[in-house]
Amino acid sequence: MIERLNASAELLVIGYVTTQFFYSLNQAFLARRASERLKYLLQDIGELGRLPPAEPKLPYSGPLNEAPSIFVWLVYGIKLASRLLGWALSKLLGMQMRWSVLVIPEDWRDATLYEGMVIRVEPGRFLADPFLVSEAGKTYCFVEDFSSKENKAKISVFEVGPGYYREHGPCLVEPFHLSFPFVFRFEEDVYMIPESCAARQIRLYRCKKFPCEWELDTILIDDLSAADSMLFHHNSRWWLLTNIDRSGLNDCGGELHLYYSDSPKATRWNSHPKNPIVFDPGHARNGGCVHDQNGRLYRVAQAQGFDLYGHHTSVFEITELTEESYRKNLLPRSGRDLRRARSARITCPHFMG
């Protein structure tokens, strides 16, 4: 946090960072992120000529900040040794984390994840980041298609239906890694914004021949390390939600940024004054499209666990969205809190239909 040291002790910035593997690395990571956040706060103060409004005060429920005891250090050492041993055994045995995609033909609020149909592929390959689109009475699933041999992914597409799936093959291949193929319609065309963080661009592709032929249409934002970008239309504006790494630490899961423009193909986007609108790896990273249901907006977020990408997902309702404000509420969870739902990205086929 960044605090103004006055009589009322106003909090100007509250944020969280991902816990790192080692204690010393964690301290360095925290210092880097804090200094980077302070730099942007000072830039904002210089442009506005005033301090930003203070964060609302809430009761503190965390532990007392004090030097760790010998017992705490001992527990830390045992846990660290066990993690290092597990990591070494996994490397020795050639084990690696695999993701998969499952399809559930239900409304997202009624989805029961274990009842979904898993799309299976051969070893050395896994699928992730599914997005659905309906076309000519059929449903297509666009996915990140990762190759262990190439150590990068392309975008592939599957046709899915009740009890079956059929692979159509790769539809978008670049020299760099691609994932999170957010697909949407605009006017008469279908567009895709895949995650292209390795190219330092947010790239918009247009479908030439559905579903497997695509071409680069517009570079929405250049020279930006951004991941998991998506668009939605609300109140006569196009809104761009994206996860940005401004610290150079290859950490795209800690900050969510919001931009707006008059067109989804714009090359100039206005940064929201509340950016980053989320500064917390617990729910900053996008986990699916923004779903507009009867005028109410729902956003799916994924959480970064300790040394574990995509620990669980949460659903937020965006209760206020203007060019000056952004507010959201966490929806109550059910079942197992959507934990371990890392293979099933909550998508919205009706939005694409």
Side-chain angles (χ1 to χ4, degrees), residues 31-309:
R32 177 67 176 270
R33 292 300 305 273
S35 61
E36 169 259 337
R37 191 67 187 90
L38 177 60
K39 179 183 73 174
Y40 285 101
L41 173 63
L42 294 175
Q43 287 181 356
D44 293 341
I45 293 173
E47 293 176 0
L48 297 173
R50 55 180 173 80
L51 291 173
E55 297 285 345
K57 291 187 176 182
L58 297 171
Y60 178 72
S61 59
L64 177 65
N65 294 323
E66 58 183 2
S69 64
I70 297 298
F71 175 75
V72 172
W73 277 109
L74 179 62
V75 172
Y76 165 77
I78 294 173
K79 289 183 176 180
L80 178 60
S82 65
R83 292 190 187 103
L84 289 174
L85 178 61
W87 178 81
L89 287 175
S90 297
K91 296 289 287 185
L92 182 64
L93 298 175
M95 299 171 61
Q96 62 178 175
M97 181 178 290
R98 281 178 55 88
W99 301 74
S100 59
V101 168
L102 59 88
V103 180
I104 308 167
E106 298 180 43
D107 186 277
W108 66 273
R109 295 167 299 182
D110 301 323
T112 303
L113 299 185
Y114 65 81
E115 295 179 349
M117 175 185 64
V118 178
I119 299 179
R120 304 187 184 278
V121 293
E122 63 273 14
R125 176 186 175 202
F126 68 76
L127 308 179
D129 294 352
F131 283 90
L132 303 178
V133 58
S134 297
E135 178 72 12
K138 297 180 179 180
T139 301
Y140 297 85
C141 183
F142 292 85
V143 296
E144 171 193 348
D145 187 348
F146 185 86
S147 167
S148 299
K149 182 179 180 180
E150 298 178 10
N151 196 32
K152 71 180 185 70
K154 56 183 176 288
I155 304 301
S156 293
V157 59
F158 291 76
E159 180 185 330
V160 297
Y164 82 93
Y165 58 87
R166 181 167 67 90
E167 182 173 0
H168 284 260
C171 65
L172 186 58
V173 181
E174 293 284 12
F176 44 84
H177 175 82
L178 296 172
S179 62
F180 201 86
F182 173 73
V183 187
F184 69 101
R185 294 184 185 276
F186 176 62
E187 296 178 345
E188 300 298 323
D189 292 312
V190 179
Y191 293 89
M192 179 193 299
I193 303 179
E195 184 268 294
S196 54
C197 184
R200 293 189 58 84
Q201 293 174 331
I202 299 180
R203 300 160 68 95
L204 177 70
Y205 292 81
R206 186 182 68 86
C207 188
K208 295 172 58 180
K209 183 178 180 181
F210 195 87
C212 290
E213 293 185 21
W214 298 76
E215 63 180 359
L216 180 63
D217 185 273
T218 309
I219 296 176
L220 302 181
I221 302 180
D222 197 11
D223 194 25
L224 182 68
S225 179
D228 297 357
S229 304
M230 57 188 184
L231 293 171
F232 63 98
H233 190 258
H234 180 69
N235 285 346
S236 302
R237 292 286 194 188
W238 282 91
W239 303 87
L240 170 65
L241 280 172
T242 186
N243 297 112
I244 296 178
D245 173 28
R246 300 188 296 179
S247 61
L249 294 171
N250 195 29
D251 175 32
C252 286
E255 292 187 13
L256 177 65
H257 289 247
L258 177 64
Y259 297 83
Y260 61 90
S261 186
D262 294 327
S263 168
K265 302 177 68 172
T267 56
R268 294 180 61 87
W269 290 83
N270 300 291
S271 177
H272 197 277
K274 294 291 186 179
N275 280 335
I277 58 172
V278 179
F279 186 13
D280 184 347
H283 58 275
R285 190 139 187 174
N286 289 322
C289 64
V290 172
H291 186 46
D292 188 337
Q293 191 160 28
N294 299 323
R296 301 177 68 175
L297 298 176
Y298 299 95
R299 171 185 171 260
V300 182
Q302 57 176 309
Q304 175 73 29
F306 175 70
D307 196 36
L308 180 63
Y309 168 72

Side-chain angles (χ1 to χ4, degrees), residues 301-338:
Q302 57 176 309
Q304 175 73 29
F306 175 70
D307 196 36
L308 180 63
Y309 168 72
H311 183 266
H312 65 272
T313 57
S314 302
V315 180
F316 290 82
E317 181 181 359
I318 301 174
T319 57
E320 184 177 337
L321 177 60
T322 70
E323 295 175 9
E324 293 80 28
S325 64
Y326 175 86
R327 295 182 184 275
K328 84 284 187 188
N329 284 329
L330 175 64
L331 297 189
R333 296 172 179 171
S334 61
R336 298 179 60 190
D337 292 351
L338 299 181

